[in-house]
Structure formats: C-alpha cells, structure tokens
Amino acid sequence: MRAIWKGAVSFGLVSIGVKVYSATEEKDIRFHQVHRDDGGRIRYKRTCSVCGEEVSYDDIAKGYDIGGGEMVILTDEDFADLPLTTSKAIDVLEFVPAEQVDPILYNKAYFLEPESSATKPYVLLRDALADSERVAIVKVALRQREQLATLRVREGVLLLNTMLWPDEVRTPDFGFLDEDLKVRPPELAMASSLIDSMAGEFEPDAFTDDYRAALQEVIDAKIEGREVVQPEEEEAAPAAAVDLMAALKASVERARVARGEAPAGGAAEPTPITSARSAQQAAKATKKAPAKKAAEKKAPAKKAEPARRAAAKKAEPAKKAAAKKTAEKKAAKAPAKKAAEKKAASSRKTA
C-alpha cells in the first residue's frame, strides 16, 4: 500500500506521527472507450468553449458559476490563503459512544500507521480507545478539504472514517410520511415471523458479486478464444401479491423451505440443505440398523417369557398330583415286598 497523507494525531498534548492509507478498494472491472472498428482509444481534448483552443493543465483554473452567464475565477493562490489549521494534523475533539454516530454519516475509511518514533504513543491511544468502548471525533484536512471523522480500532489498527457534514445529509420528504396508515396487529405479527425465519449471523464472506464474476468469465473467454458458458438462470421472482397477508405467509413458507424446514402445509421440496440433512439421517440410520435388528431378535424371547411362566404354573399342580400317586403306589407295594422277603427267609431256614 502507498501512503496518501502524512501528519500527526493530536491527542491532548501528545502528538503521534502517522501515515494514512486507503482501507478499501473498489473491485469494479474498468473499461476504456474504444473505436468499434479498430479498437483505437478514444481521447478527449480540453478545449475552451470561447476561443476553441486546446488548454493545458497549467492554464486551467476553477470557476464558480453565479448565474446569468457570469463566472468567478479562483486561482491556486486563492486556495492557498484559506485557513486550514488542521492541514497536517488529526485533531481529537471528543470521545463519544459509537452508537451515537449515525452510519449514514460515514464516507471513506483509512488505516493509520505510526511513524517509527511514534509506535508507543500510538499503541497507548489504541488500547485506551478500545477500553473506553468509544470513538474519537476528529477534524482532518484531506485533499484540501476539512472533514469531520471518527477514530476507532479495527484489528489492532486505528481506523479513520471520514464523515459527511450534517448539512450534507438530505432530509426525506415523501408524501406517504404525512398519510395516516394503520398496520393491523396480525400483519405486524406475520412480518415479525418472517424476520425471525430469515434471521442469521452476518458473515460478509458468504456473499459474492455474481455480476462481476460473470463479467470476468466473459472477458477470460474472449482472451482465450473459447465459448462463453452461460450461467444458470436464477429463479424468477414471484409476482407481487395483492393481499399483504398472503404475501407474508408465502414469504414465511419460502424462508422455511430455504432453511430446510417443512412448510406448515406439508413436506418441503428437496433443496441442497434438506438433501444434505437427509443423507446425514440415512447414514445415522445405517449405523443403528445392526443394533436394532439384534434388539428385535431378543424381543420375541422377552415376549414369550410371561407365557412360559404361565404354562409352568398351570403344569405345577399336575406334577404334584403325579408325584403323590407315585408315592402312594410305592407305599402300597412296601408291605407286600416285606412279606415276600420274610417268606423267602423262612424257606432258606427250613432248607
């Protein structure tokens, strides 16, 4: 980066030498005007409307039109005599809460780099400004114009934001502001619901300049001599609805579908977001399938357990009855067995 201005930040009795750099740059693709037939550059000559002669920069002055064909001419000497007391200084006037500065006043942004001998006071001002949670209101003269500006901290660097003067901001003067328009509570509630459905965190990197990218593609194709690939057509914007509530409801449903949520009336059409979520859910289901099948195999055994117990209870009396009969038979056979044993013993004695 190249410094566009050098001066000092005047902070009380402390002076901090700084260099000023443009903090932003436009990325527009620039073209030259050329002759369609041969590609020659179109040049413009500075000619006088009175004498018709070509005028060099040295002979050009600034003129102020006072009307009626009269012009007041100002030279470089006239501008040199103007009292620009802040020509080489950024004067800190006061410190105010950042939210009190209306963003409409901001104009251009510049980074401030400290001179080698001013690094410590620069860091001191930076840290104190960050701790105060305020911005410094300053005056600075850039390109021969005194401007109001703010100083704040961004990524460890002091950032100078030039501002418009209050009388440079127009006052809105539109007829509808004088009309007595009433918004119904249901409409307001639906509008709030739409805002909630489209809420998110601002991430600047998520947005791109699609027109510039497409234009660059056309230029690259021309350079390489290849065919230009036409970008896919975007979905046409829906026609404006006459019914405000109907338009709000449709907008809420559309926002829900875009976020992968099912609309109130049924299932949402597949979108890149919903497709990705469906794939994730399918993967989870696949992982859980073996455990689920194993659980299903165990489930019949659990269900059969009560029936088995009931059958066992029913069979228990029958088992007891059978055991009782067996015992009675054994008891009945016992005397006969003893009698037979005695008779056999007597026969052995007699023999």
Side-chain angles (χ1 to χ4, degrees), residues 200-210:
E201 298 295 330
F202 179 56
E203 298 179 3
D205 293 337
F207 303 94
T208 57
D209 187 348
D210 296 332

Side-chain angles (χ1 to χ4, degrees), residues 299-309:
K302 290 183 179 179
K303 290 181 180 179
E305 186 68 20
R308 188 179 65 78
R309 290 179 180 177

Side-chain angles (χ1 to χ4, degrees), residues 220-337:
D220 294 341
K222 287 276 188 179
I223 295 172
E224 299 170 8
R226 56 183 170 83
E227 184 180 355
V228 179
V229 179
Q230 296 293 336
E232 295 182 2
E233 294 185 3
E234 295 185 1
E235 181 181 354
V242 177
D243 187 354
L244 181 58
M245 281 296 292
L248 289 170
K249 288 180 180 178
S251 300
V252 171
E253 296 300 330
R254 188 175 182 179
R256 286 176 177 171
V257 171
R259 295 173 73 95
E261 302 174 4
E269 296 181 2
T271 65
I273 297 176
T274 55
S275 299
R277 290 181 177 175
S278 299
Q280 291 177 354
Q281 292 174 357
K284 291 180 180 179
T286 303
K287 291 180 180 179
K288 292 181 179 179
K292 186 176 180 181
K293 289 181 179 179
E296 289 175 352
K297 289 181 180 179
K298 292 180 180 180
K302 290 183 179 179
K303 290 181 180 179
E305 186 68 20
R308 188 179 65 78
R309 290 179 180 177
K313 287 183 179 180
K314 289 182 180 179
E316 191 172 343
K319 288 182 179 180
K320 289 182 178 180
K324 186 176 181 182
K325 287 182 180 180
T326 302
E328 289 177 352
K329 286 180 180 180
K330 289 181 178 180
K333 291 179 179 181
K337 186 177 181 182

Side-chain angles (χ1 to χ4, degrees), residues 47-300:
T47 59
C48 176
S49 62
V50 176
C51 64
E53 294 182 1
E54 186 174 354
V55 182
S56 66
Y57 279 112
D58 294 337
D59 293 330
I60 295 177
K62 291 181 171 63
Y64 181 80
D65 190 354
I66 61 176
E70 296 186 72
M71 194 80 64
V72 174
I73 299 176
L74 299 176
T75 64
D76 292 339
E77 291 75 14
D78 295 323
F79 287 101
D81 293 337
L82 294 177
L84 284 178
T85 56
T86 58
S87 59
K88 288 297 179 182
I90 301 174
D91 288 332
V92 178
L93 306 177
E94 60 182 355
F95 296 93
V96 302
E99 61 270 14
Q100 291 184 2
V101 181
D102 192 332
I104 197 175
L105 294 172
Y106 287 127
N107 192 7
K108 294 183 179 180
Y110 301 91
F111 290 131
L112 301 187
E113 179 192 23
E115 296 281 5
S116 57
S117 60
T119 304
K120 185 173 182 179
Y122 178 97
V123 172
L124 175 63
L125 174 60
R126 180 198 66 186
D127 294 349
L129 192 59
D131 291 343
S132 69
E133 297 183 352
R134 292 173 177 260
V135 297
I137 302 297
V138 304
K139 270 188 178 183
V140 59
L142 293 175
R143 297 186 173 91
Q144 296 299 313
R145 184 183 179 219
E146 188 175 61
Q147 299 185 62
L148 195 65
T150 63
L151 269 184
R152 62 186 178 91
V153 181
R154 185 181 189 275
E155 296 182 355
V157 178
L158 289 177
L159 184 72
L160 178 75
N161 273 109
T162 58
M163 302 165 64
L164 302 173
W165 295 98
D167 59 358
E168 293 179 314
V169 179
R170 294 176 175 176
T171 301
D173 185 13
F174 305 109
F176 79 93
L177 294 174
D178 298 326
E179 298 177 10
D180 187 16
L181 298 175
K182 300 293 184 182
V183 177
R184 295 186 294 123
E187 294 173 339
L188 184 59
M190 187 60 67
S192 299
S193 177
L194 176 58
I195 292 175
D196 292 339
S197 66
M198 298 176 67
E201 298 295 330
F202 179 56
E203 298 179 3
D205 293 337
F207 303 94
T208 57
D209 187 348
D210 296 332
Y211 176 82
R212 177 160 58 92
L215 180 57
Q216 187 63 56
E217 171 63 21
V218 171
I219 294 173
D220 294 341
K222 287 276 188 179
I223 295 172
E224 299 170 8
R226 56 183 170 83
E227 184 180 355
V228 179
V229 179
Q230 296 293 336
E232 295 182 2
E233 294 185 3
E234 295 185 1
E235 181 181 354
V242 177
D243 187 354
L244 181 58
M245 281 296 292
L248 289 170
K249 288 180 180 178
S251 300
V252 171
E253 296 300 330
R254 188 175 182 179
R256 286 176 177 171
V257 171
R259 295 173 73 95
E261 302 174 4
E269 296 181 2
T271 65
I273 297 176
T274 55
S275 299
R277 290 181 177 175
S278 299
Q280 291 177 354
Q281 292 174 357
K284 291 180 180 179
T286 303
K287 291 180 180 179
K288 292 181 179 179
K292 186 176 180 181
K293 289 181 179 179
E296 289 175 352
K297 289 181 180 179
K298 292 180 180 180

